[in-house]
Amino acid sequence: MAARPGPDETIRFGPFEVDLRTGELRRKGSKIRLQNKPFQILAALVENPGELVTRDELQRRLWPGDTFVDFDNGLNTALTKLRESLCDSAEEPKYIETLPRRGYRFMAPVDKPARSRITMMAVLPFENLSGDQEQEYFTDGLTEEMITQLARLNPERLGVIARTSSLRYKKTTKGIGEIARELRVDWILEGSVRRAAERVRITAQLVRMQDESHLWAQNYDRELRDILLVQSEVALAIAGEINLKLDPQAEVRSRDVRQVNPEAYRACLMGCYHLAKFNRDGINKGIAYLLQSIAIDPNYAPPYDDLAFAYFISSGWILPPREAMMKAKQAAIAGLKMDESLAEAHASLGIIQLRYDWDWAAAEKSCKRAVEINAGSARAQEFYGWYLAAMGRFDEAIEKAQRALELDPISPEVSTLLGHVLYLARRYDQAVAQLRQALELDENYWFAHLILGLALQQQGKLPEAIEQLQRTRKEEPVSPETMGALGQAYAAAGQSDKAMEVLEELEKWSKRYYVSPFHRGRIYAAIGQREQAFAWFETAYEERSFYLSWFKVEPELDPLRSDLRFKSLLRRLSFPA
């Protein structure tokens, strides 16, 4: 199986295409015969358009080392052949300009997309050989940490399928070839774990999917406290096997690992295991385990990162925004003080600055930093996409959401994110199609039903929208966000009595759960009671409800945008122009 072709392997200018991978020059799709030396000169020039490429640089590229050659004659001959192929001339150049006694410069504009060719790898769920189902959290956690280690090696060259998609193949009966085709990967890492008391035995093997050959395998028998070192050794060994040039900082991080307190490590894995359930009970249990991990070893950074994410997703759902976001921010900052390279802690901090601080510049800085550290993190790409969508930069947001989906291709959550961004961009047909794909991955995923309901409503398909929102309520019974959307849809369909019933139910819920004022505001707006609507929106502003971070772009608010009260609130939120 070939690696995914990156767009920068084909560089275009005028009627020509240069395929750097195959060494071919084409004009309007037809191949032009060109020998290696002229092609290498062309490659050097189009890779650096508008810049001087010196004769010394060309000599090193074409005749490296101590190769004896009449350089001037050889270079001139190769250039003549290249210009003939391009119908160019030295006297009146269109493409290649000669800078006497210095070198050459490519004059024409080129279409040279930025992203490099990326090889894709999947880490399949490690098999639990301990004979104890209670140890599943440990093998799942080890799988996730191997994904993280590998994804950080060189994200511009190696993409690693994220945890959500990988774990969907746990205990699968599918063959490795079928899995590789579904995930579109070039390499697969698989293995097993046997844990007994404070020792762990890990077996790992690397499979090249082009011919399904097992290129590397290794056994590790270590104390549990050395588990991070084992993960680092596996990652570095794999980098060597696939000839991956390491990012210098990633290499330093991979070699500079510490022993870990086994109890703190176990509690952290348990926390992540429960968080992944993405429901109220799982989040509460996850937070409890992560706090336990920190209490055992306050200097162990990973649980702070995961705790920041846990508090963030609990905001406005399980905890009031002020409490949840302040705790999330404290956890992210504490983790970054210990390890500045925690990409997802930067991402969590950025999304807190977006959703709660409303500090748009700081949010983008943090999200950008997350992607700079690890462009292979689906969460970092996802959160940056959220930021860009909230700012109305939809083309960029869609690009980030699509990249997150490449890294996590069978995740219903990430698939729904792309659908949500398309909805915010008012590309409703595309949004509906994407959200239906997400539901093919998990027909019970409540958030996909929710966003699908919103998109269908914007298409004017109100009965279908209400049906989706009712299904959302069935899958996640205690969700004020769902109730707000359902009440708003009832009102849009002219069923004001049902919308009022939803408002009454939200009032009852508010005695037991946190209910964002935004949800009542959206229902009153749909009913036509704008005084009430804006009163609730003002309360949401005072409480710093994270739903206001979508205020600039939320389609259901479009009927209010001409209202002076809406403009006043939007001005106070100080979104960038």
Side-chain angles (χ1 to χ4, degrees):
M1 177 183 296
R4 298 186 184 191
D8 68 342
E9 291 189 349
T10 299
I11 298 178
R12 297 174 176 83
F13 61 91
F16 296 98
E17 295 180 352
V18 183
D19 191 323
L20 299 177
R21 181 171 60 86
T22 63
E24 293 178 344
L25 172 66
R26 292 184 289 271
R27 187 178 190 276
K28 296 183 178 179
S30 299
K31 183 178 176 181
I32 297 174
R33 184 177 178 82
L34 192 62
Q35 294 176 335
N36 182 57
K37 298 299 185 192
F39 184 86
Q40 289 300 322
I41 295 172
L42 178 60
L45 291 167
V46 297
E47 287 172 351
N48 302 279
E51 298 179 14
L52 170 67
V53 177
T54 67
R55 293 171 65 85
D56 287 344
E57 288 173 325
L58 290 174
Q59 182 174 14
R60 287 194 296 271
R61 181 164 182 153
L62 274 65
W63 294 283
D66 299 323
T67 304
F68 178 77
V69 70
D70 182 347
F71 169 66
D72 287 334
N73 183 58
L75 179 60
N76 290 336
T77 299
L79 271 166
T80 298
K81 292 180 178 178
L82 174 58
R83 282 182 165 130
E84 288 175 355
S85 298
L86 299 177
C87 301
D88 200 16
S89 72
E91 294 75 23
E92 297 181 4
K94 292 185 295 182
Y95 299 116
I96 302 171
E97 178 186 12
T98 300
L99 302 176
R101 295 183 297 278
R102 298 173 62 197
Y104 306 90
R105 177 165 55 205
F106 197 80
M107 302 166 58
V110 303
D111 179 7
K112 181 187 175 186
R115 202 165 80 208
S116 301
R117 178 176 184 265
I118 295 179
T119 297
M120 295 300 295
M121 178 179 292
V123 181
L124 294 187
F126 277 53
E127 186 179 0
N128 175 19
L129 299 182
S130 303
D132 180 1
Q133 289 301 309
E134 294 297 318
Q135 295 300 315
E136 290 297 314
Y137 80 91
F138 186 85
T139 54
D140 289 355
L142 181 63
T143 302
E144 181 173 9
E145 292 192 337
M146 278 309 316
I147 290 169
T148 301
Q149 285 275 0
L150 290 164
R152 292 168 62 169
L153 292 177
N154 187 340
E156 297 302 318
R157 290 293 178 183
L158 177 66
V160 185
I161 299 298
R163 175 191 191 279
T164 316
S165 291
S166 173
L167 287 181
R168 288 176 74 87
Y169 292 99
K170 190 171 181 177
K171 302 186 187 303
T172 184
T173 58
K174 292 181 179 180
I176 195 170
E178 184 179 359
I179 293 171
R181 286 189 293 274
E182 289 180 359
L183 294 176
R184 298 177 60 217
V185 295
D186 310 285
W187 301 87
I188 281 183
L189 177 68
E190 57 183 358
S192 61
V193 183
R194 186 186 301 276
R195 180 167 162 246
E198 298 305 308
R199 294 197 68 83
V200 59
R201 180 177 177 82
I202 297 172
T203 299
Q205 58 183 356
L206 181 67
V207 184
R208 182 176 62 196
M209 297 316 303
Q210 183 177 15
D211 53 9
E212 295 194 25
S213 57
H214 292 63
L215 293 190
W216 170 88
Q218 187 65 49
N219 295 322
Y220 301 85
D221 193 344
R222 302 286 179 81
E223 291 187 11
L224 185 57
R225 67 178 58 252
D226 293 322
I227 189 69
L228 301 183
L229 180 60
V230 174
Q231 295 166 12
S232 175
E233 288 178 10
V234 172
L236 292 173
I238 288 172
E241 289 296 325
I242 65 175
N243 298 315
L244 180 69
K245 182 179 179 181
L246 298 181
D247 176 272
Q249 292 183 336
E251 184 169 12
V252 169
R253 288 194 299 265
S254 294
R255 298 190 187 280
D256 184 21
V257 295
R258 50 164 277 184
Q259 288 187 324
V260 61
N261 182 298
E263 292 302 319
Y265 181 75
R266 274 194 288 264
C268 183
L269 294 190
M270 282 292 286
C272 295
Y273 177 77
H274 286 289
L275 279 183
K277 298 175 182 177
F278 201 63
N279 56 35
R280 182 180 291 267
D281 183 58
I283 291 169
N284 283 327
K285 286 183 178 177
I287 289 172
Y289 275 111
L290 292 168
L291 289 172
Q292 181 183 334
S293 177
I294 291 169
I296 294 168
D297 185 356
N299 297 315
Y300 181 42
Y304 291 93
D305 178 4
D306 297 313
L307 186 63
F309 177 68
Y311 278 131
F312 160 68
I313 60 177
S314 74
S315 175
W317 179 17
I318 298 171
L319 295 173
R322 189 178 303 276
E323 178 185 355
M325 291 298 200
M326 291 305 295
K327 288 181 175 179
K329 190 172 185 178
Q330 289 167 2
I333 291 172
L336 289 170
K337 282 182 179 178
M338 283 178 253
D339 185 354
E340 200 276 337
S341 72
L342 291 173
E344 294 185 351
H346 282 285
S348 293
L349 182 59
I351 214 68
I352 294 159
Q353 290 162 332
L354 169 72
R355 294 291 190 88
Y356 183 74
D357 293 345
W358 301 337
D359 188 339
W360 318 121
E364 180 163 28
K365 182 178 179 181
S366 295
C367 289
K368 269 188 175 179
R369 181 62 182 143
V371 173
E372 286 169 0
I373 292 172
N374 187 2
S377 165
R379 187 185 298 172
Q381 298 284 356
E382 179 182 353
F383 280 13
Y384 197 8
W386 268 351
Y387 167 82
L388 292 165
M391 297 301 106
R393 292 159 59 181
F394 295 122
D395 288 343
E396 295 172 83
I398 291 168
E399 181 185 350
K400 293 299 179 186
Q402 288 173 334
R403 179 61 183 141
L405 191 56
E406 288 175 10
L407 293 164
D408 210 350
I410 55 174
S411 161
E413 293 86 0
V414 179
S415 189
T416 300
L417 161 72
L418 177 55
H420 191 193
V421 173
L422 290 166
Y423 160 75
L424 293 171
R426 291 155 178 77
R427 302 182 189 182
Y428 302 123
D429 291 347
Q430 292 175 263
V432 168
Q434 180 62 43
L435 292 160
R436 294 199 190 281
Q437 288 181 31
L439 288 168
E440 287 177 7
L441 296 170
D442 183 354
E443 66 178 2
N444 300 321
Y445 183 43
W446 69 274
F447 195 62
H449 285 290
L450 172 61
I451 305 302
L452 179 57
L454 296 177
L456 288 168
Q457 182 180 333
Q458 293 302 320
Q459 289 183 318
K461 299 175 181 178
L462 288 168
E464 292 179 57
I466 290 170
E467 181 182 351
Q468 287 296 325
L469 295 170
Q470 289 171 336
R471 175 66 185 272
T472 307
R473 186 178 183 186
K474 176 184 175 183
E475 299 300 338
E476 184 59 35
V478 183
S479 169
E481 182 175 8
T482 299
M483 293 297 285
L486 181 58
Q488 198 266 347
Y490 281 142
Q495 301 177 37
S496 298
D497 53 339
K498 289 187 176 181
M500 293 304 295
E501 289 174 7
V502 172
L503 283 168
E504 291 171 6
E505 190 158 1
L506 286 174
E507 176 62 27
K508 293 176 183 176
W509 278 14
S510 67
K511 305 292 193 297
R512 299 175 56 197
Y513 311 110
Y514 175 76
V515 175
S516 171
F518 177 83
H519 301 312
R520 281 181 267 193
R522 70 198 291 192
I523 297 173
Y524 278 115
I527 293 172
Q529 297 183 22
R530 290 197 175 185
E531 290 292 336
Q532 286 276 54
F534 281 104
W536 283 110
F537 289 153
E538 286 293 337
T539 305
Y541 179 84
E542 292 166 7
E543 292 187 5
R544 305 192 76 83
S545 170
F546 76 74
Y547 294 99
L548 293 190
S549 64
W550 298 122
F551 212 64
K552 180 179 179 179
V553 295
E554 174 55 55
E556 72 176 51
L557 300 177
D558 286 352
L560 303 178
R561 294 188 185 278
S562 61
D563 194 297
L564 292 177
R565 291 163 295 186
F566 185 93
K567 293 178 179 179
S568 171
L569 186 51
L570 196 62
R571 187 167 53 251
R572 280 178 281 151
L573 287 165
S574 301
F575 285 101

